[in-house]
Amino acid sequence: MPLPLYLLALAVFAMGTSEFMLAGLLPGLAADLGVTVGTAGGLTSAFAAGMVVGAPLTAALARRLPERGSLLGFVLVFAAAHAVGAVTGSFPVLFATRVVAALADAGFLAVALTTAASLVPADRKGRALAVLLSGTTVATVAGVPGGAVLGALFGWRAAFWAVALLCLPAAVGIAKGLPAVAAPADRHCAPALRTEVAELRRPRLLRAMLLAALVNAATFGGFTFLAPVVTGPAGLGEPWVPVALVLFGAGSFAGVTAAGRLADRHPGRVLAVGGPLLLAGWPALAVLADAPGALLPLVFLLGALSFAVGGTLITRVLYEAAGSPTLAGAYATAALNLGATAGPLLAAAALGTAAGGLGPFYAGGLLVAAALLVATVRPRFA
């Protein structure tokens, strides 16, 4: 894989760390800024909403600009937003910085997905996407626990500074390592914006986006409420929470790496095997929640399956959006983040059911079941 792909993955790592680390920083952040934990939790919603809205908006604004300049600009805005957030004593200002950071993150990922696909031959998009998404999976393994440790030792502001500083080598790498024009074709020859948006009328593209959103909703819903199960039904102490999160992250890295080699040529096999296993896996996690010896290996397995299937579906969005060369990444980003936004909300609603704290895992199973049902409506991916 080309070196620029790994430079893009470094930036994705920094952004993924920021997106996921906030959960461990909320208590200290809320106390410092004089708001409730519930109010501070709105920062997560602000980021997620900014990602969903920002993907198509920022990609449309940057579609005629050189990829390198756009990517560099998004990284620097993201870093600046975290620097401002690290020094402010105002919750509204911090809230605004999260929205700005989310817009920059969405724009970067939308352009990066398209750029990554353009850096490799047409039949290797899946492997390129696997390298790019590895930044997110490594963030769950190393970045999120690292942010939590920084927050515990030096306060939540230190974690924000760390993310801002982590963006700098990524920015230098993009400026020095990414070709001035990543795609061989002239971006000014791209179809008109109206033509690219019209691609959303294609049933195959919409189905790929819906499938990706459903599977990723299950992933983020289950991941969000994993910690209370570790300390509750599993009967493990607080120190085991980062262990479980790291296991999920390690599994996700393994899954997205393995699927990257299959998503281009054999996506149907990944979906045919991984889909039913996910359907059984999420409810199994609920049933075995009180057995740590089974729970922890299953967390690793579900991380691998979730990102293998989810990553393959995101790759399918890129293939199906071939008629939208500058917005394909935006469609993939929007599908991913629709799932990341809706999943935790549906999982939270499931907490109020008879299943209680295990409800999010049963909800994950239902979301995967819905995806498999949608996948049967039309012929499977070849």
Side-chain angles (χ1 to χ4, degrees), residues 186-212:
D186 189 346
R187 288 176 66 85
H188 292 281
C189 295
L193 179 60
R194 180 181 299 179
T195 302
E196 294 204 50
V197 173
E199 286 289 299
L200 288 173
R201 299 174 185 172
R202 295 181 57 247
R204 288 179 65 88
L205 174 57
L206 290 175
R207 185 182 70 149
M209 293 177 67
L210 177 58
L211 288 172

PDB file of all heavy atoms in Angstrom, residues 186-212:
ATOM      1  N   ASP A 186      -8.143  14.931 -13.688  1.00  0.00           N
ATOM      2  CA  ASP A 186      -8.341  16.314 -13.248  1.00  0.00           C
ATOM      3  C   ASP A 186      -9.664  16.429 -12.519  1.00  0.00           C
ATOM      4  O   ASP A 186     -10.719  16.058 -13.040  1.00  0.00           O
ATOM      5  CB  ASP A 186      -8.351  17.232 -14.467  1.00  0.00           C
ATOM      6  CG  ASP A 186      -8.328  18.707 -14.088  1.00  0.00           C
ATOM      7  OD1 ASP A 186      -8.576  19.016 -12.896  1.00  0.00           O
ATOM      8  OD2 ASP A 186      -8.083  19.523 -14.981  1.00  0.00           O
ATOM      9  N   ARG A 187      -9.608  16.942 -11.298  1.00  0.00           N
ATOM     10  CA  ARG A 187     -10.840  17.057 -10.513  1.00  0.00           C
ATOM     11  C   ARG A 187     -11.842  17.984 -11.193  1.00  0.00           C
ATOM     12  O   ARG A 187     -13.038  17.885 -10.984  1.00  0.00           O
ATOM     13  CB  ARG A 187     -10.524  17.562  -9.093  1.00  0.00           C
ATOM     14  CG  ARG A 187      -9.835  16.528  -8.241  1.00  0.00           C
ATOM     15  CD  ARG A 187      -9.460  17.090  -6.881  1.00  0.00           C
ATOM     16  NE  ARG A 187     -10.612  17.413  -6.071  1.00  0.00           N
ATOM     17  CZ  ARG A 187     -11.259  16.539  -5.304  1.00  0.00           C
ATOM     18  NH1 ARG A 187     -10.886  15.272  -5.293  1.00  0.00           N
ATOM     19  NH2 ARG A 187     -12.276  16.915  -4.549  1.00  0.00           N
ATOM     20  N   HIS A 188     -11.366  18.900 -12.006  1.00  0.00           N
ATOM     21  CA  HIS A 188     -12.289  19.814 -12.674  1.00  0.00           C
ATOM     22  C   HIS A 188     -13.082  19.115 -13.777  1.00  0.00           C
ATOM     23  O   HIS A 188     -14.016  19.691 -14.327  1.00  0.00           O
ATOM     24  CB  HIS A 188     -11.517  21.006 -13.228  1.00  0.00           C
ATOM     25  CG  HIS A 188     -10.960  21.898 -12.165  1.00  0.00           C
ATOM     26  ND1 HIS A 188     -11.714  22.828 -11.500  1.00  0.00           N
ATOM     27  CD2 HIS A 188      -9.712  21.964 -11.631  1.00  0.00           C
ATOM     28  CE1 HIS A 188     -10.954  23.462 -10.606  1.00  0.00           C
ATOM     29  NE2 HIS A 188      -9.740  22.950 -10.671  1.00  0.00           N
ATOM     30  N   CYS A 189     -12.704  17.878 -14.079  1.00  0.00           N
ATOM     31  CA  CYS A 189     -13.463  17.098 -15.055  1.00  0.00           C
ATOM     32  C   CYS A 189     -14.528  16.240 -14.381  1.00  0.00           C
ATOM     33  O   CYS A 189     -15.199  15.453 -15.050  1.00  0.00           O
ATOM     34  CB  CYS A 189     -12.516  16.202 -15.870  1.00  0.00           C
ATOM     35  SG  CYS A 189     -11.360  17.142 -16.895  1.00  0.00           S
ATOM     36  N   ALA A 190     -14.635  16.352 -13.063  1.00  0.00           N
ATOM     37  CA  ALA A 190     -15.620  15.567 -12.324  1.00  0.00           C
ATOM     38  C   ALA A 190     -17.026  15.979 -12.751  1.00  0.00           C
ATOM     39  O   ALA A 190     -17.255  17.104 -13.219  1.00  0.00           O
ATOM     40  CB  ALA A 190     -15.450  15.797 -10.822  1.00  0.00           C
ATOM     41  N   PRO A 191     -18.000  15.069 -12.598  1.00  0.00           N
ATOM     42  CA  PRO A 191     -19.380  15.413 -12.953  1.00  0.00           C
ATOM     43  C   PRO A 191     -19.890  16.596 -12.147  1.00  0.00           C
ATOM     44  O   PRO A 191     -19.356  16.933 -11.088  1.00  0.00           O
ATOM     45  CB  PRO A 191     -20.150  14.130 -12.600  1.00  0.00           C
ATOM     46  CG  PRO A 191     -19.126  13.050 -12.566  1.00  0.00           C
ATOM     47  CD  PRO A 191     -17.865  13.699 -12.110  1.00  0.00           C
ATOM     48  N   ALA A 192     -20.926  17.228 -12.651  1.00  0.00           N
ATOM     49  CA  ALA A 192     -21.542  18.341 -11.932  1.00  0.00           C
ATOM     50  C   ALA A 192     -22.088  17.848 -10.594  1.00  0.00           C
ATOM     51  O   ALA A 192     -22.427  16.661 -10.436  1.00  0.00           O
ATOM     52  CB  ALA A 192     -22.668  18.946 -12.771  1.00  0.00           C
ATOM     53  N   LEU A 193     -22.169  18.754  -9.625  1.00  0.00           N
ATOM     54  CA  LEU A 193     -22.656  18.396  -8.292  1.00  0.00           C
ATOM     55  C   LEU A 193     -24.043  17.757  -8.376  1.00  0.00           C
ATOM     56  O   LEU A 193     -24.328  16.759  -7.694  1.00  0.00           O
ATOM     57  CB  LEU A 193     -22.683  19.637  -7.399  1.00  0.00           C
ATOM     58  CG  LEU A 193     -23.185  19.429  -5.966  1.00  0.00           C
ATOM     59  CD1 LEU A 193     -22.309  18.429  -5.227  1.00  0.00           C
ATOM     60  CD2 LEU A 193     -23.223  20.767  -5.220  1.00  0.00           C
ATOM     61  N   ARG A 194     -24.902  18.332  -9.218  1.00  0.00           N
ATOM     62  CA  ARG A 194     -26.260  17.787  -9.347  1.00  0.00           C
ATOM     63  C   ARG A 194     -26.221  16.344  -9.835  1.00  0.00           C
ATOM     64  O   ARG A 194     -26.994  15.499  -9.375  1.00  0.00           O
ATOM     65  CB  ARG A 194     -27.073  18.651 -10.327  1.00  0.00           C
ATOM     66  CG  ARG A 194     -28.488  18.174 -10.542  1.00  0.00           C
ATOM     67  CD  ARG A 194     -29.207  19.061 -11.536  1.00  0.00           C
ATOM     68  NE  ARG A 194     -29.273  20.442 -11.055  1.00  0.00           N
ATOM     69  CZ  ARG A 194     -29.833  21.434 -11.756  1.00  0.00           C
ATOM     70  NH1 ARG A 194     -30.353  21.193 -12.961  1.00  0.00           N
ATOM     71  NH2 ARG A 194     -29.857  22.652 -11.268  1.00  0.00           N
ATOM     72  N   THR A 195     -25.299  16.051 -10.745  1.00  0.00           N
ATOM     73  CA  THR A 195     -25.170  14.689 -11.267  1.00  0.00           C
ATOM     74  C   THR A 195     -24.711  13.728 -10.175  1.00  0.00           C
ATOM     75  O   THR A 195     -25.217  12.602 -10.060  1.00  0.00           O
ATOM     76  CB  THR A 195     -24.174  14.668 -12.437  1.00  0.00           C
ATOM     77  OG1 THR A 195     -24.621  15.553 -13.456  1.00  0.00           O
ATOM     78  CG2 THR A 195     -24.039  13.265 -13.002  1.00  0.00           C
ATOM     79  N   GLU A 196     -23.755  14.162  -9.363  1.00  0.00           N
ATOM     80  CA  GLU A 196     -23.256  13.301  -8.293  1.00  0.00           C
ATOM     81  C   GLU A 196     -24.321  13.062  -7.228  1.00  0.00           C
ATOM     82  O   GLU A 196     -24.466  11.943  -6.718  1.00  0.00           O
ATOM     83  CB  GLU A 196     -21.999  13.905  -7.674  1.00  0.00           C
ATOM     84  CG  GLU A 196     -20.816  13.967  -8.625  1.00  0.00           C
ATOM     85  CD  GLU A 196     -19.491  14.011  -7.902  1.00  0.00           C
ATOM     86  OE1 GLU A 196     -19.287  13.157  -7.016  1.00  0.00           O
ATOM     87  OE2 GLU A 196     -18.665  14.888  -8.210  1.00  0.00           O
ATOM     88  N   VAL A 197     -25.064  14.104  -6.876  1.00  0.00           N
ATOM     89  CA  VAL A 197     -26.132  13.950  -5.884  1.00  0.00           C
ATOM     90  C   VAL A 197     -27.227  13.029  -6.412  1.00  0.00           C
ATOM     91  O   VAL A 197     -27.841  12.255  -5.665  1.00  0.00           O
ATOM     92  CB  VAL A 197     -26.710  15.324  -5.497  1.00  0.00           C
ATOM     93  CG1 VAL A 197     -27.940  15.163  -4.608  1.00  0.00           C
ATOM     94  CG2 VAL A 197     -25.651  16.170  -4.782  1.00  0.00           C
ATOM     95  N   ALA A 198     -27.459  13.070  -7.720  1.00  0.00           N
ATOM     96  CA  ALA A 198     -28.494  12.230  -8.326  1.00  0.00           C
ATOM     97  C   ALA A 198     -28.186  10.746  -8.186  1.00  0.00           C
ATOM     98  O   ALA A 198     -29.088   9.907  -8.293  1.00  0.00           O
ATOM     99  CB  ALA A 198     -28.664  12.591  -9.800  1.00  0.00           C
ATOM    100  N   GLU A 199     -26.922  10.414  -7.919  1.00  0.00           N
ATOM    101  CA  GLU A 199     -26.560   9.018  -7.706  1.00  0.00           C
ATOM    102  C   GLU A 199     -27.298   8.423  -6.510  1.00  0.00           C
ATOM    103  O   GLU A 199     -27.473   7.204  -6.416  1.00  0.00           O
ATOM    104  CB  GLU A 199     -25.048   8.892  -7.493  1.00  0.00           C
ATOM    105  CG  GLU A 199     -24.223   9.052  -8.751  1.00  0.00           C
ATOM    106  CD  GLU A 199     -24.382   7.860  -9.683  1.00  0.00           C
ATOM    107  OE1 GLU A 199     -24.048   6.727  -9.286  1.00  0.00           O
ATOM    108  OE2 GLU A 199     -24.850   8.076 -10.818  1.00  0.00           O
ATOM    109  N   LEU A 200     -27.728   9.286  -5.590  1.00  0.00           N
ATOM    110  CA  LEU A 200     -28.443   8.805  -4.410  1.00  0.00           C
ATOM    111  C   LEU A 200     -29.803   8.209  -4.762  1.00  0.00           C
ATOM    112  O   LEU A 200     -30.445   7.601  -3.910  1.00  0.00           O
ATOM    113  CB  LEU A 200     -28.628   9.949  -3.401  1.00  0.00           C
ATOM    114  CG  LEU A 200     -27.358  10.393  -2.658  1.00  0.00           C
ATOM    115  CD1 LEU A 200     -27.641  11.626  -1.831  1.00  0.00           C
ATOM    116  CD2 LEU A 200     -26.835   9.261  -1.783  1.00  0.00           C
ATOM    117  N   ARG A 201     -30.241   8.386  -5.982  1.00  0.00           N
ATOM    118  CA  ARG A 201     -31.494   7.766  -6.399  1.00  0.00           C
ATOM    119  C   ARG A 201     -31.313   6.298  -6.746  1.00  0.00           C
ATOM    120  O   ARG A 201     -32.308   5.582  -6.917  1.00  0.00           O
ATOM    121  CB  ARG A 201     -32.054   8.509  -7.624  1.00  0.00           C
ATOM    122  CG  ARG A 201     -32.361   9.981  -7.380  1.00  0.00           C
ATOM    123  CD  ARG A 201     -32.767  10.649  -8.689  1.00  0.00           C
ATOM    124  NE  ARG A 201     -32.959  12.088  -8.527  1.00  0.00           N
ATOM    125  CZ  ARG A 201     -33.164  12.928  -9.544  1.00  0.00           C
ATOM    126  NH1 ARG A 201     -33.193  12.465 -10.785  1.00  0.00           N
ATOM    127  NH2 ARG A 201     -33.327  14.224  -9.317  1.00  0.00           N
ATOM    128  N   ARG A 202     -30.075   5.870  -6.894  1.00  0.00           N
ATOM    129  CA  ARG A 202     -29.821   4.489  -7.286  1.00  0.00           C
ATOM    130  C   ARG A 202     -30.092   3.537  -6.125  1.00  0.00           C
ATOM    131  O   ARG A 202     -29.483   3.665  -5.046  1.00  0.00           O
ATOM    132  CB  ARG A 202     -28.381   4.324  -7.764  1.00  0.00           C
ATOM    133  CG  ARG A 202     -28.069   5.097  -9.047  1.00  0.00           C
ATOM    134  CD  ARG A 202     -26.635   4.881  -9.482  1.00  0.00           C
ATOM    135  NE  ARG A 202     -26.366   3.462  -9.672  1.00  0.00           N
ATOM    136  CZ  ARG A 202     -25.528   2.748  -8.910  1.00  0.00           C
ATOM    137  NH1 ARG A 202     -24.882   3.325  -7.921  1.00  0.00           N
ATOM    138  NH2 ARG A 202     -25.332   1.478  -9.158  1.00  0.00           N
ATOM    139  N   PRO A 203     -30.984   2.567  -6.316  1.00  0.00           N
ATOM    140  CA  PRO A 203     -31.325   1.646  -5.223  1.00  0.00           C
ATOM    141  C   PRO A 203     -30.128   0.881  -4.660  1.00  0.00           C
ATOM    142  O   PRO A 203     -30.049   0.662  -3.451  1.00  0.00           O
ATOM    143  CB  PRO A 203     -32.338   0.696  -5.872  1.00  0.00           C
ATOM    144  CG  PRO A 203     -32.931   1.483  -6.991  1.00  0.00           C
ATOM    145  CD  PRO A 203     -31.815   2.340  -7.510  1.00  0.00           C
ATOM    146  N   ARG A 204     -29.199   0.494  -5.524  1.00  0.00           N
ATOM    147  CA  ARG A 204     -28.051  -0.276  -5.038  1.00  0.00           C
ATOM    148  C   ARG A 204     -27.173   0.549  -4.094  1.00  0.00           C
ATOM    149  O   ARG A 204     -26.671   0.042  -3.091  1.00  0.00           O
ATOM    150  CB  ARG A 204     -27.224  -0.802  -6.216  1.00  0.00           C
ATOM    151  CG  ARG A 204     -27.896  -1.928  -6.989  1.00  0.00           C
ATOM    152  CD  ARG A 204     -27.034  -2.377  -8.162  1.00  0.00           C
ATOM    153  NE  ARG A 204     -25.789  -2.959  -7.719  1.00  0.00           N
ATOM    154  CZ  ARG A 204     -25.609  -4.247  -7.427  1.00  0.00           C
ATOM    155  NH1 ARG A 204     -26.635  -5.085  -7.514  1.00  0.00           N
ATOM    156  NH2 ARG A 204     -24.438  -4.705  -7.042  1.00  0.00           N
ATOM    157  N   LEU A 205     -26.993   1.823  -4.406  1.00  0.00           N
ATOM    158  CA  LEU A 205     -26.216   2.692  -3.531  1.00  0.00           C
ATOM    159  C   LEU A 205     -26.948   2.905  -2.211  1.00  0.00           C
ATOM    160  O   LEU A 205     -26.352   2.821  -1.130  1.00  0.00           O
ATOM    161  CB  LEU A 205     -25.943   4.030  -4.211  1.00  0.00           C
ATOM    162  CG  LEU A 205     -25.258   5.101  -3.341  1.00  0.00           C
ATOM    163  CD1 LEU A 205     -23.936   4.602  -2.786  1.00  0.00           C
ATOM    164  CD2 LEU A 205     -25.053   6.383  -4.152  1.00  0.00           C
ATOM    165  N   LEU A 206     -28.237   3.180  -2.278  1.00  0.00           N
ATOM    166  CA  LEU A 206     -29.015   3.403  -1.061  1.00  0.00           C
ATOM    167  C   LEU A 206     -29.019   2.154  -0.185  1.00  0.00           C
ATOM    168  O   LEU A 206     -28.950   2.237   1.045  1.00  0.00           O
ATOM    169  CB  LEU A 206     -30.442   3.804  -1.419  1.00  0.00           C
ATOM    170  CG  LEU A 206     -30.599   5.199  -2.035  1.00  0.00           C
ATOM    171  CD1 LEU A 206     -32.050   5.428  -2.452  1.00  0.00           C
ATOM    172  CD2 LEU A 206     -30.171   6.271  -1.033  1.00  0.00           C
ATOM    173  N   ARG A 207     -29.131   0.986  -0.840  1.00  0.00           N
ATOM    174  CA  ARG A 207     -29.138  -0.244  -0.056  1.00  0.00           C
ATOM    175  C   ARG A 207     -27.796  -0.456   0.633  1.00  0.00           C
ATOM    176  O   ARG A 207     -27.737  -0.828   1.818  1.00  0.00           O
ATOM    177  CB  ARG A 207     -29.455  -1.452  -0.939  1.00  0.00           C
ATOM    178  CG  ARG A 207     -29.587  -2.736  -0.125  1.00  0.00           C
ATOM    179  CD  ARG A 207     -29.849  -3.949  -0.993  1.00  0.00           C
ATOM    180  NE  ARG A 207     -28.691  -4.312  -1.782  1.00  0.00           N
ATOM    181  CZ  ARG A 207     -28.410  -5.570  -2.133  1.00  0.00           C
ATOM    182  NH1 ARG A 207     -29.212  -6.549  -1.760  1.00  0.00           N
ATOM    183  NH2 ARG A 207     -27.362  -5.831  -2.865  1.00  0.00           N
ATOM    184  N   ALA A 208     -26.698  -0.199  -0.070  1.00  0.00           N
ATOM    185  CA  ALA A 208     -25.379  -0.347   0.540  1.00  0.00           C
ATOM    186  C   ALA A 208     -25.223   0.605   1.726  1.00  0.00           C
ATOM    187  O   ALA A 208     -24.678   0.225   2.778  1.00  0.00           O
ATOM    188  CB  ALA A 208     -24.288  -0.091  -0.498  1.00  0.00           C
ATOM    189  N   MET A 209     -25.700   1.844   1.576  1.00  0.00           N
ATOM    190  CA  MET A 209     -25.611   2.809   2.669  1.00  0.00           C
ATOM    191  C   MET A 209     -26.464   2.381   3.854  1.00  0.00           C
ATOM    192  O   MET A 209     -26.052   2.494   5.021  1.00  0.00           O
ATOM    193  CB  MET A 209     -26.040   4.192   2.170  1.00  0.00           C
ATOM    194  CG  MET A 209     -25.085   4.807   1.149  1.00  0.00           C
ATOM    195  SD  MET A 209     -25.661   6.402   0.497  1.00  0.00           S
ATOM    196  CE  MET A 209     -25.557   7.418   1.977  1.00  0.00           C
ATOM    197  N   LEU A 210     -27.665   1.870   3.582  1.00  0.00           N
ATOM    198  CA  LEU A 210     -28.550   1.425   4.663  1.00  0.00           C
ATOM    199  C   LEU A 210     -27.946   0.239   5.402  1.00  0.00           C
ATOM    200  O   LEU A 210     -27.976   0.182   6.646  1.00  0.00           O
ATOM    201  CB  LEU A 210     -29.922   1.065   4.096  1.00  0.00           C
ATOM    202  CG  LEU A 210     -30.951   0.518   5.097  1.00  0.00           C
ATOM    203  CD1 LEU A 210     -31.189   1.520   6.221  1.00  0.00           C
ATOM    204  CD2 LEU A 210     -32.253   0.165   4.392  1.00  0.00           C
ATOM    205  N   LEU A 211     -27.404  -0.709   4.658  1.00  0.00           N
ATOM    206  CA  LEU A 211     -26.773  -1.869   5.288  1.00  0.00           C
ATOM    207  C   LEU A 211     -25.604  -1.440   6.180  1.00  0.00           C
ATOM    208  O   LEU A 211     -25.460  -1.915   7.317  1.00  0.00           O
ATOM    209  CB  LEU A 211     -26.282  -2.838   4.214  1.00  0.00           C
ATOM    210  CG  LEU A 211     -27.354  -3.623   3.454  1.00  0.00           C
ATOM    211  CD1 LEU A 211     -26.730  -4.392   2.298  1.00  0.00           C
ATOM    212  CD2 LEU A 211     -28.098  -4.563   4.377  1.00  0.00           C
ATOM    213  N   ALA A 212     -24.768  -0.537   5.671  1.00  0.00           N
ATOM    214  CA  ALA A 212     -23.631  -0.052   6.449  1.00  0.00           C
ATOM    215  C   ALA A 212     -24.101   0.662   7.709  1.00  0.00           C
ATOM    216  O   ALA A 212     -23.530   0.479   8.795  1.00  0.00           O
ATOM    217  CB  ALA A 212     -22.771   0.877   5.597  1.00  0.00           C
TER     218      ALA A 212
END
